[in-house]
Amino acid sequence: MPFAFFMCVALVAGCSVKEDRSECPCVLMLDLTELDTAYVKSVNVLAVSADGVVLDDYVSAADFEAGYRKEVPHGFIQVNVWSDGGGTVGGSGVRSEDSGVQGRDAGRIVHIPYGVECPPVYLHSFVADTRGEACRECVHLNKNHCRLTVMMPDGSYVPYSLTFKGMVDGYDIRGMPSGGDFSCVAYPSDVGESCVVLPRQVDNSLVMEVDDGVPHTKRFAIGEYLDKGGYDWNAASLADVTVILDYTLTVVTIRIVGWEKEYVYDVIL
C-alpha cells in the first residue's frame, strides 16, 4: 500500500524524473549579496522576453542575502536590475516605473521627464539563457550617470543659470540609453558651483547654455569638449567630471575626476 501511494504521488507530481522536463519553467536566480546595502536600499527587477514582460519586481535590501529566485519561461530573456536612488527621478517624486514598460513607450525602464536631471542610476543588464532548468547571475550595479560640476574661478562672473540639453532621456529595456530630448537647469550655489546629473550619452551633442541676463544665449559644446578630453561614455561605470568655466575670459577647462591632466579650450561666444 505505501508503494502504491508513492507511485500515485509520482504520477501527479509536476516535472518528475521520468517526465519531459522541457515543459518545466526555468528558475532565474539573482545573487544580490555583492550589493552594498549602505548605499543601495532596493533594486528593481525587470525581465522581458519576445512575448512581453516576464518579471516586474521590487527587492528590498533586507532580502538581498536571501537572493532572488523566480520561475521564468524557457528561451532568452533580457534582464535589468537597477537602483535609481530610492525610486525617484531627480527628486521629483516621479518613480521610474510610472513611465516604464507598460506606458506610452512600452520599452523603457527609466524615463527622465523633460526639464528634470537624471536620477542616480546604477544598473546591471544581461541576456539570460533560460533554456535549461536554472540560470544564475551575480549582480554588480554599474554607475550609469555622470555628476557634472561647473565651477567658476575666484573673481569671475557667476551666471544666473546653466541649462544642459542632450538627446538621451532615459534607459530602454536593454539597459541602453534611450533617444529623446533631455533638458535640465542648474543654479549656482553660494560658492559659485553648479551641479547636474547626466545620463550616459551616445554622441557629442550635449550642450550647455548660459543665462547671464542678456537676450542672446551663449552655448558651449560640452559634449565635444568632453570627447576631446578623452571622457569615456562607454565605460562600465561613468566617472564624474568637473568643468571650470572662466566666463569673463571665455576659457573652458575640463577636469575629469581621477585624471591628472586638464584640457583647456578657448571659446568664441
Side-chain angles (χ1 to χ4, degrees):
M1 187 62 140
F3 177 78
F5 174 77
F6 172 80
M7 290 301 296
C8 290
V9 171
L11 289 173
V12 299
C15 301
S16 67
V17 174
K18 295 181 179 180
E19 191 177 1
D20 181 6
R21 300 185 67 87
S22 64
E23 297 300 320
C24 303
C26 174
V27 178
L28 175 67
M29 298 179 289
L30 300 179
D31 182 350
L32 305 174
T33 58
E34 297 295 319
L35 302 184
D36 189 346
T37 55
Y39 301 98
V40 182
K41 302 303 180 183
S42 64
V43 293
N44 300 285
V45 179
L46 176 72
V48 181
S49 71
D51 297 324
V53 177
V54 174
L55 294 172
D56 189 358
D57 281 343
Y58 171 91
V59 185
S60 171
D63 299 320
F64 286 176
E65 283 295 327
Y68 181 88
R69 296 170 59 93
K70 284 293 177 71
E71 293 184 347
V72 295
H74 288 290
F76 293 93
I77 60 176
Q78 175 68 47
V79 182
N80 294 286
V81 183
W82 79 96
S83 172
D84 57 9
T88 60
V89 177
S92 66
V94 181
R95 295 186 63 82
S96 55
E97 56 264 35
D98 289 342
S99 58
V101 202
Q102 304 297 345
R104 59 182 176 82
D105 298 294
R108 280 191 288 193
I109 59 173
V110 174
H111 171 238
I112 307 169
Y114 192 81
V116 178
E117 67 179 359
C118 180
V121 178
Y122 293 86
L123 174 66
H124 181 106
S125 296
F126 68 101
V127 175
D129 182 351
T130 61
R131 293 175 296 177
E133 297 180 13
C135 177
R136 182 181 181 277
E137 180 84 0
C138 185
V139 175
H140 298 277
L141 298 182
N142 290 318
K143 183 171 174 285
N144 268 253
H145 64 278
C146 166
R147 187 174 299 277
L148 188 147
T149 301
V150 179
M151 300 176 59
M152 306 294 171
D154 292 340
S156 68
Y157 174 78
V158 179
Y160 172 69
S161 66
L162 305 175
T163 299
F164 295 84
K165 294 184 177 181
M167 299 303 297
V168 174
D169 69 347
Y171 294 91
D172 63 22
I173 57 174
R174 300 170 301 154
M176 301 297 292
S178 60
D181 291 334
F182 170 88
S183 178
C184 68
V185 180
Y187 296 95
S189 66
D190 294 339
V191 294
E193 294 183 2
S194 300
C195 295
V196 64
V197 181
L198 303 169
R200 187 182 294 272
Q201 302 293 297
V202 296
D203 56 25
N204 301 332
S205 62
L206 186 70
V207 298
M208 178 179 70
E209 297 181 349
V210 178
D211 180 1
D212 57 0
V214 300
H216 300 290
T217 301
K218 297 175 177 61
R219 295 166 60 92
F220 294 84
I222 290 295
E224 296 286 349
Y225 303 152
L226 291 174
D227 179 63
K228 292 177 180 177
Y231 188 83
D232 186 6
W233 288 107
N234 293 315
S237 286
L238 296 177
D240 292 332
V241 180
T242 297
V243 175
I244 300 177
L245 175 62
D246 191 331
Y247 193 69
T248 57
L249 299 178
T250 64
V251 171
V252 174
T253 300
I254 303 296
R255 179 185 298 160
I256 298 178
V257 174
W259 288 30
E260 295 181 357
K261 190 173 181 180
E262 294 183 347
Y263 297 85
V264 181
Y265 304 93
D266 291 325
V267 180
I268 300 176
L269 298 177

